[in-house]
Each structure stands twice: as C-alpha cells, then as structure tokens.
Amino acid sequence: MRYLKNFGLLLIVTSTLAACQMDDFENDSDVISNDTNAAASKEEANTDSDTETEETAETEHTEAAETAETDQSSDSDAAQPALDDIAAAAADVESYKAELNMSASIDNMEPRELNAEVLYVNSSPPELLLRSFGEDRMVSKDGQSYYNNGSSWVDISDSVDTSLLYKVTYDEAVASFKEIAPHMEKKEEKDKTVYTYNGSNDEIYKTLESLVQVNFGEMKVENVNTTVETVVNEENNLIEEMNFEADGTDAVGTFEFDGTVTFNDFNSVEEVELPDIE
C-alpha cells in the first residue's frame, strides 16, 4: 500500500511539473511571435544575468562549504582535549555502579520497560552483579556465572560469555560518546559539563542503538530523530549520566525508545560475591 501511495504522489508531482513547463513554453512562444527582436535582446540579457548568477551561486556555495568544513573542524578540535581527558580518566576506573532505565515500542504499541542495576568490577573476566527492579538476577565472577530464575540460582557458566551479560558498560559509554561528541554542543553548568545533540544523523542513531542494545529486528530506517545528553563531572572527567531518545519510521511503521544510564560509586564497589549454591 505504501508503494502505491508513493507512486500516486509521484504521478501528481510529475503532472504538475509538466503543466508548469507547458505554460512556460506557451508564454515564451507568444512573446517571440509578438516581438522577435525584443525576445532576442531579452534572452541575451538573461544569458549574461544567468552567467553572473551562476558564478555568484557557485562562489557562495564554495564559501559555505568551506565555512561548514571549518566549523566542523573547529568543533572537533575543541572537543578533542575533553575527549582525551575523559579517555584518560576511563583508564583509571576499576569499578563502578551503573543503572539503565529504558522503554521502547514499535508501531505505537504499549512500550516495554527495562531496568538494570549493575555493580561492575573491571577484571578479566569482569565481575558483576546484575539487579532488575530491585532483585538480584545474575552474578558472575572468576568465570563462574549464575542466573536467578525466580526460585533458585542456576549455573550458566558453560553457556554464556561473561562479556555479553551486560553491554552498557562504562567503557562502551565512553566509546560511544567519543563518536558523538564532535557533533554535540557544550555547556558549562556549575561543576558539570553538559554535551547535547539533537538531529537526524543516521550514524549517530546507529551508535546510540548499538550502545543500549535496542533491537527492533530487521528494519530499514527511513528517517530518525535522535537526542543525546551526556553529563561529565569537570573535576574528575568522568561521565555520570547519559540521557537519550530516538524516534522515527521504517518501511512498515514507527519506532521509538528513550532512557537514562547513570554511573557512580567509581572505584568504590567491593568485590562481587557468588551466591551460596547447595
């Protein structure tokens, strides 16, 4: 049905353009038949004017492109020192607490809610305790992983990769921020620096989608609007909060998601304890 609708729209647009071109042609014919010499003089004058207009437009286009390129380069250059400081600070993060709250829906259906609270220790493999809506759901340490099915803890060590248990880690957040930061506006607020982006850049949407691991299945995105806000502590150059939302359309409907991920208790998380298994 959508293809038929687009095809109908194409016919309307094509017919309108054809009608306009026919009107122009008939009007020009009347002028030429009434005064050939005047039309010729007008054409010559128009040719000179068109040439000057084209040269002016080309010059303005070139200057605008150079200005845009310079502005983008300036934004990137301005963001680089902050990115370097944030990346350096991330290397010293040994543990932290993270929380992800998110909702997502397609085709205006009832949104699905997600809550994940994580105690994370940067070891190899990482240690983590994952809670959802206040209940311990998963624990992993020293290569051993257990899942709480609601009645007991189940050993899943041999069936799951620890690195896949929780993907919105601090390192992943920093990596995503580094990709988006050159496109963000920077604002100082007390002891925080707030970076914001709002736009329709597909690559930024894909970066955000990859970070929060939202999965709507196979989609061919037609248009999307994305908003990202990142709050950085000026004193220690650590990301404390990321707020995000995105909505758009694909070939068959609509999609949207929004949420917040926070990081705190840096280097203060005690080691994770495995559950008692009888």
Side-chain angles (χ1 to χ4, degrees):
M1 182 63 70
R2 178 167 299 184
Y3 292 114
L4 293 176
K5 181 172 67 176
N6 290 342
F7 183 65
L9 179 61
L10 179 60
L11 287 178
I12 293 172
V13 173
T14 304
S15 301
T16 303
L17 291 175
C20 292
Q21 290 171 346
M22 183 59 69
D23 289 341
D24 292 340
F25 175 75
E26 291 175 352
N27 291 337
D28 289 343
S29 298
D30 291 340
V31 172
I32 293 173
S33 62
N34 291 334
D35 195 341
T36 304
N37 292 332
S41 299
K42 182 179 179 181
E43 181 180 355
E44 182 178 355
N46 287 341
T47 301
D48 293 338
S49 177
D50 290 344
T51 301
E52 293 177 358
T53 301
E54 290 176 359
E55 291 177 351
T56 302
E58 183 177 355
T59 301
E60 292 177 350
H61 177 74
T62 301
E63 291 176 350
E66 291 175 350
T67 301
E69 183 177 353
T70 300
D71 291 343
Q72 185 175 8
S73 176
S74 299
D75 291 342
S76 180
D77 292 343
Q80 193 58 48
L83 294 179
D84 292 341
D85 292 340
I86 292 170
D92 295 328
V93 173
E94 297 179 354
S95 65
Y96 54 89
K97 177 182 177 181
E99 185 167 1
L100 171 65
N101 288 286
M102 191 175 100
S103 66
S105 66
I106 57 174
D107 300 332
N108 298 315
M109 297 176 63
E110 189 72 20
R112 299 292 299 272
E113 305 290 334
L114 169 68
N115 168 263
E117 180 183 335
V118 180
L119 301 180
Y120 199 95
V121 178
N122 276 328
S123 56
S124 184
E127 299 179 12
L128 66 88
L129 168 61
L130 173 63
R131 297 189 179 104
S132 180
F133 297 107
E135 294 189 22
D136 293 354
R137 290 298 183 185
M138 201 167 301
V139 180
S140 185
K141 179 180 179 179
D142 298 333
Q144 293 181 277
S145 299
Y146 295 88
Y147 168 69
N148 182 359
N149 63 10
S151 58
S152 62
W153 288 95
V154 180
D155 189 344
I156 58 172
S157 305
D158 296 331
S159 58
V160 66
D161 184 344
T162 304
S163 64
L164 301 179
L165 295 179
Y166 186 72
K167 295 292 290 181
V168 193
T169 64
Y170 187 77
D171 287 343
E172 291 293 336
V174 171
S176 297
F177 173 67
K178 288 175 66 176
E179 292 186 28
I180 303 174
H183 306 274
M184 305 179 91
E185 294 183 359
K186 179 180 178 182
K187 183 178 179 181
E188 306 291 340
E189 295 185 0
K190 295 183 179 180
D191 58 343
K192 314 291 184 184
T193 303
V194 180
Y195 297 83
T196 56
Y197 167 82
N198 181 272
S200 56
N201 187 309
D202 285 351
E203 294 303 316
I204 291 180
Y205 166 73
K206 291 176 183 177
T207 297
L208 177 60
E209 182 185 52
S210 177
L211 171 64
V212 299
Q213 296 290 297
V214 65
N215 183 7
F216 292 115
E218 291 294 328
M219 285 200 318
K220 184 178 181 181
V221 176
E222 294 183 341
N223 62 77
V224 64
N225 186 68
T226 306
T227 299
V228 185
E229 178 188 78
T230 303
V231 181
V232 178
N233 187 304
E234 285 188 351
E235 183 177 353
N236 55 25
N237 294 305
L238 294 174
I239 295 175
E240 295 184 341
E241 185 174 324
M242 293 183 73
N243 301 299
F244 54 86
E245 59 181 271
D247 62 82
T249 60
D250 67 350
V252 295
T254 63
F255 63 92
E256 60 180 314
F257 65 89
D258 64 85
T260 299
V261 57
T262 59
F263 300 96
N264 51 53
D265 292 351
F266 291 99
N267 298 331
S268 299
V269 176
E270 299 179 359
E271 65 174 343
V272 172
E273 297 291 340
L274 292 173
D276 293 328
I277 305 296
E278 296 182 356

